[in-house]
Amino acid sequence: MPKVNNIPQEKPWYRRSSSWAWIVTGVLVLAVIITQIMADAAEERAKANRPKPRSYEEVFTPEEAKRMGIGGRIDGPGDWKPDPNAAKNVREFIEKGGNADPAGDAIQDGDYHDLLDQNGGPEGF
């Protein structure tokens, strides 16, 4: 009497769900990697094509620069010297009130509840 082998036959690889799960996972990981590589390459191309900033000497004529108070080399080493009147100019600016804003001062001096009433309550802001 021949012996019967009761071991079930193993399915071929393409019939196993675990094989397809690994294949799908691999394809998804590969797609993410390729997408990231392409995004990085596009960013590098955009960075390479971005215009370089120009110095003020290329933008303004010497007369315009002098009229606007731009003098010497402000964008690198050179013989630029600070304005000798800078301290006096800053002091005058502060004594005049700096960036005084009448509307901002009026809001600061106003009563919070009055402002709420004028603007229709908390929803009005």
Side-chain angles (χ1 to χ4, degrees):
M1 197 175 217
K3 287 191 171 183
V4 179
N5 195 357
N6 288 335
I7 300 173
Q9 287 284 338
E10 191 173 311
K11 293 180 185 177
W13 71 269
Y14 55 87
R15 296 247 178 176
R16 284 185 249 142
S17 61
S18 65
S19 297
W20 286 107
W22 281 110
I23 290 171
V24 169
T25 303
V27 167
L28 289 175
V29 167
L30 189 61
V32 167
I33 291 172
I34 289 173
T35 304
Q36 187 63 40
I37 289 172
M38 295 195 52
D40 290 345
E43 186 177 327
E44 287 297 320
R45 277 195 305 272
K47 193 182 289 186
N49 292 336
R50 192 174 302 145
K52 304 287 185 244
R54 299 184 307 167
S55 72
Y56 81 95
E57 293 168 335
E58 296 171 348
V59 176
F60 300 114
T61 63
E63 295 81 24
E64 290 174 328
K66 184 171 180 126
R67 188 176 68 237
M68 289 188 281
I70 302 172
R73 292 185 52 88
I74 62 170
D75 56 349
D79 58 353
W80 180 78
K81 303 231 181 326
D83 183 13
N85 298 326
K88 183 182 78 148
N89 295 341
V90 169
R91 189 176 328 107
E92 287 175 4
F93 178 75
I94 292 172
E95 287 172 358
K96 287 181 190 174
N99 289 336
D101 181 19
D105 294 340
I107 289 173
Q108 292 294 332
D109 294 338
D111 183 24
Y112 173 73
H113 296 289
D114 289 340
L115 288 171
L116 280 180
D117 293 341
Q118 289 172 354
N119 291 299
E123 299 85 19
F125 274 103

